[in-house]
């Protein structure tokens, strides 16, 4: 499987204007506002003109119950900061408290980020797009009956369950600094989903799982791939391990769709992280995956230094649509967040030495590739009737005859490269005349 970029691929981008307005709490490191800041950069760079933009579907309790237990979902629907005293036993059993606080609009927040991921999966299934982007998704720690690591609903698992209706083999790749434990646990016993997680491991780093010897069990034996890394890994070392492992996974597993979790807490100087990646190094992984020309659902994840998260995901949006962007940031309402340099790729001053030796990285690659050789090549599944989609995506209401272009059509419109530019670029072509 080669690496041909595929520049004419249709990209769908999901963003709910309310998703950045939620607050976990004043001292909590998770800041949903990072989503609004990212979206503002995407718009002000003009990247929206090369994608289909969607205000996403909001997931229902029924959608969430495809993976999570009903009593856990009912708890999330009912609990509020005002009535929390009446739920003391539930708070403990569902692991809701300090890391995963109850805040105003909690269920609505879960509904927004989960609905966007689910709709992205459905559009990929229906071949309405080749790449679907939801930066609000990627909350990979949530378990069937409990919250974990700032994650309440596991939108990734729910989206993969949707993709499995049409796809015999789903590959999940996770480049968050934390192990993708919730997704691995959900699919640990099946060969229909291969999970590949690159993460910090050891010294009690959260969540404490993700050893290279966690390989899956029963029917899923060898279908969980873990790449445990040490602190301080830089772009060069990360690329040296990421590319050969993903290349081997693609050759041996031959997935028909990929879900890529792009947690940005693996960047240098993250508030909770200890890696030394730049946005370019992180983005190189995204580009490498995209260039296999397999449909891909791209999700966010962790990331706790807000300005760097927004830089990274904006840059990765540009890579996904093959649109180079200027290192000088455009002016936005959040411009002051990016001082003193106001650039997309500021110089990296890492606090960490790289503890990942070449010998150590080579050992992990060797171990991983040897395990992949034990796979039955590209497991297949006997498809029965495909269940219906969980939501109907087509707009059924009649368009307004007084509108030349309705909002649904406008959202899907992609600017043709030959159209006029905005601003300073909107110049009439110079016509040469004979003197």
């Amino acid at each position: 499987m080669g690496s041909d970029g595929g520049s004419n691929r249709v990209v769908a981008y999901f963003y709910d204007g309310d998703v950045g307005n939620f607050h976990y709490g004043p001292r909590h490191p998770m800041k949903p506002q990072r989503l609004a800041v990212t979206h503002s950069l995407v718009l002000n760079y003009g990247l929206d003109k090369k994608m289909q933009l969607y205000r996403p579907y909001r997931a229902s309790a029924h959608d969430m119950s495809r993976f999570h237990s009903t009593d856990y979902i009912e708890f999330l629907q009912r609990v509020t900061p005002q009535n929390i005293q009446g739920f003391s036993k539930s708070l403990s059993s569902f692991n809701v408290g300090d890391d995963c606080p109850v805040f105003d609009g909690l269920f609505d927040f879960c509904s927004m980020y989960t609905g966007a991921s689910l709709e992205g999966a459905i559009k990929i299934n229906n071949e309405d797009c080749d790449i679907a982007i939801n930066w609000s998704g990627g909350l990979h720690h949530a378990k069937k009956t409990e919250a974990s690591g700032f994650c309440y609903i596991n939108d990734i698992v729910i989206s993969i369950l949707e993709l499995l209706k049409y796809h015999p083999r789903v590959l999940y790749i996770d480049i968050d600094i934390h192990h993708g434990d919730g997704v691995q646990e959900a699919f640990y016993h099946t060969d229909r989903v291969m999970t590949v997680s690159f993460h910090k491991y050891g010294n009690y780093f959260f969540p404490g799982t993700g050893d290279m010897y966690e390989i899956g069990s029963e029917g899923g034996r060898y279908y969980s791939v873990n790449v445990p890394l040490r602190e301080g890994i830089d772009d060069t070392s990360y690329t040296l391990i990421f590319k050969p492992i993903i290349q081997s996974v693609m050759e041996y597993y031959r997935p028909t769709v990929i879900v890529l979790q792009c947690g940005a807490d693996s960047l240098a100087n993250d508030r909770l992280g200890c890696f030394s990646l730049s946005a370019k190094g992180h983005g190189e992984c995204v580009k490498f995956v995209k260039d296999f020309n397999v449909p891909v659902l791209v999700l966010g994840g962790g990331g706790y230094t807000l300005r760097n998260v927004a830089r990274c995901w904006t840059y990765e949006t540009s890579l996904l649509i093959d649109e180079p962007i200027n290192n000088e940031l455009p002016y936005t309402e959040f411009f002051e967040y990016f001082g003193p340099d106001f650039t997309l790729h500021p110089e990296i001053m890492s606090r960490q030495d790289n503890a990942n030796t070449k010998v150590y990285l080579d050992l992990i690659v060797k171990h991983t590739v040897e395990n992949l050789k034990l796979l039955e090549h590209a497991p297949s599944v006997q498809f029965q009737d495909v269940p219906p989609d969980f939501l109907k995506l087509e707009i059924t209401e009649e368009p307004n005859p007084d509108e030349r272009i309705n909002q649904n059509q406008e959202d899907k419109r992609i600017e043709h490269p030959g159209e006029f530019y905005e601003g300073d670029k909107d110049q009439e072509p110079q016509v040469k005349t004979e003197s």
Side-chain angles (χ1 to χ4, degrees):
M1 197 174 292
S3 291
D4 167 27
S7 56
N8 292 322
R9 301 172 81 190
V10 175
V11 179
Y13 173 95
F14 298 88
Y15 181 73
D16 190 308
D18 294 326
V19 77
N21 297 331
F22 295 92
H23 299 276
Y24 276 60
R27 287 173 296 280
H28 200 288
M30 176 63 102
K31 309 287 186 192
Q33 189 196 20
R34 66 202 181 130
L35 303 168
V37 179
T38 301
H39 184 66
S40 179
L41 276 180
V42 165
L43 293 184
N44 282 282
Y45 267 118
L47 300 178
D48 53 309
K49 295 179 175 59
K50 308 296 180 184
M51 305 184 285
Q52 295 181 350
L53 259 62
Y54 295 95
R55 273 175 293 279
Y57 166 79
R58 295 192 179 183
S60 66
H62 184 56
D63 298 326
M64 298 175 191
S65 297
R66 296 173 70 185
F67 173 57
H68 295 283
S69 64
T70 305
D71 54 345
Y72 174 53
I73 299 301
E74 287 176 353
F75 162 76
L76 291 178
Q77 284 182 290
R78 292 168 57 203
V79 71
T80 69
Q82 290 72 40
N83 67 17
I84 193 170
Q85 287 78 14
F87 288 93
S88 55
K89 190 180 287 186
S90 297
L91 292 170
S92 174
S93 61
F94 296 133
N95 196 34
V96 171
D98 295 334
D99 274 2
C100 301
V102 173
F103 56 84
D104 284 321
L106 170 58
F107 186 80
D108 289 339
F109 176 64
C110 295
S111 177
M112 287 177 203
Y113 77 74
T114 302
S117 296
L118 181 55
E119 188 175 348
I122 291 171
K123 287 202 179 294
I124 287 173
N125 278 348
N126 292 340
E127 299 183 359
D128 292 331
C129 67
D130 304 296
I131 297 169
I133 303 171
N134 171 29
W135 294 125
S136 70
L139 277 72
H140 58 173
H141 294 307
K143 309 296 198 303
K144 185 180 181 69
T145 58
E146 65 178 46
S148 176
F150 317 157
C151 307
Y152 303 86
I153 297 298
N154 199 314
D155 61 295
I156 305 168
V157 172
I158 292 167
S159 302
I160 290 174
L161 291 172
E162 186 66 33
L163 291 168
L164 286 170
K165 291 180 182 178
Y166 286 76
H167 292 274
R169 294 177 303 284
V170 179
L171 171 61
Y172 172 69
I173 303 171
D174 189 317
I175 58 173
D176 194 291
I177 196 171
H178 299 97
H179 178 230
D181 57 337
V183 185
Q184 174 180 290
E185 185 179 299
F187 299 110
Y188 205 62
H189 304 288
T190 180
D191 61 4
R192 296 281 311 281
V193 180
M194 177 174 279
T195 60
V196 185
S197 180
F198 298 79
H199 50 266
K200 168 73 169 72
Y201 179 76
N203 298 331
Y204 305 103
F205 194 78
F206 184 85
T209 51
D211 188 278
M212 75 167 89
Y213 300 106
E214 292 173 29
I215 58 172
S217 70
E218 300 172 12
R221 187 168 173 80
Y222 303 120
Y223 291 89
S224 288
V225 177
N226 283 295
V227 184
L229 300 167
R230 298 169 180 163
E231 63 275 4
I233 192 163
D234 58 19
D235 293 352
T236 303
S237 296
Y238 204 92
T239 301
L240 279 173
I241 199 164
F242 183 85
K243 288 187 175 180
I245 286 176
I246 295 303
Q247 185 74 44
S248 295
V249 164
M250 296 299 290
E251 289 170 3
Y252 284 100
Y253 190 58
R254 292 169 55 210
T256 53
V257 67
I258 298 170
V259 178
L260 177 60
Q261 196 268 20
C262 300
D265 46 7
S266 44
L267 295 173
N269 303 319
D270 186 80
R271 182 174 168 185
L272 298 185
C274 57
F275 283 179
S276 300
L277 297 183
S278 70
K280 286 185 177 178
H282 198 271
E284 184 61 28
C285 299
V286 175
K287 183 179 185 305
F288 188 74
V289 171
K290 177 193 77 110
D291 285 351
F292 282 101
N293 266 341
V294 173
V296 58
L297 173 62
V298 179
L299 305 173
Y304 307 102
T305 300
L306 188 151
R307 60 187 179 276
N308 290 340
V309 176
R311 284 174 165 125
C312 182
W313 290 346
T314 300
Y315 174 62
E316 288 171 353
T317 302
S318 77
L319 294 176
L320 290 163
I321 61 171
D322 291 309
E323 188 70 16
I325 54 177
N326 201 311
N327 188 42
E328 189 177 316
L329 292 174
Y331 185 78
T332 71
E333 65 268 43
F334 305 107
F335 195 63
E336 70 275 11
Y337 289 23
F338 300 98
D341 54 281
F342 304 103
T343 59
L344 187 63
H345 301 290
E347 187 179 350
I348 300 296
M349 303 293 288
S350 178
R351 303 185 297 247
Q352 294 280 350
D353 291 331
N354 187 356
N356 299 269
T357 64
K358 187 168 188 309
V359 171
Y360 176 67
L361 297 176
D362 288 345
L363 177 75
I364 295 175
V365 172
K366 184 171 182 288
H367 170 84
T368 302
V369 173
E370 283 175 355
N371 277 354
L372 289 169
K373 288 176 181 174
L374 299 173
L375 292 182
E376 176 189 337
H377 259 267
S380 60
V381 61
Q382 186 69 44
F383 272 107
Q384 308 299 325
D385 290 337
V386 176
D389 293 340
F390 247 67
L391 55 130
K392 188 146 183 68
L393 296 179
E394 291 306 310
I395 303 297
T396 52
E397 61 191 54
E398 287 293 316
N400 183 345
D402 296 328
E403 286 183 342
R404 185 160 164 263
I405 299 178
N406 66 37
Q407 189 61 57
N408 190 47
Q409 292 168 321
E410 180 62 31
D411 286 347
K412 291 183 178 181
R413 185 172 177 268
I414 300 173
E415 185 179 271
H416 189 276
E419 289 194 16
F420 290 118
Y421 289 104
E422 292 180 5
D424 295 338
K425 291 184 180 177
D426 189 9
Q427 304 289 342
E428 288 293 329
Q430 298 297 312
V431 181
K432 279 191 176 180
T433 56
E434 290 185 29
S435 52

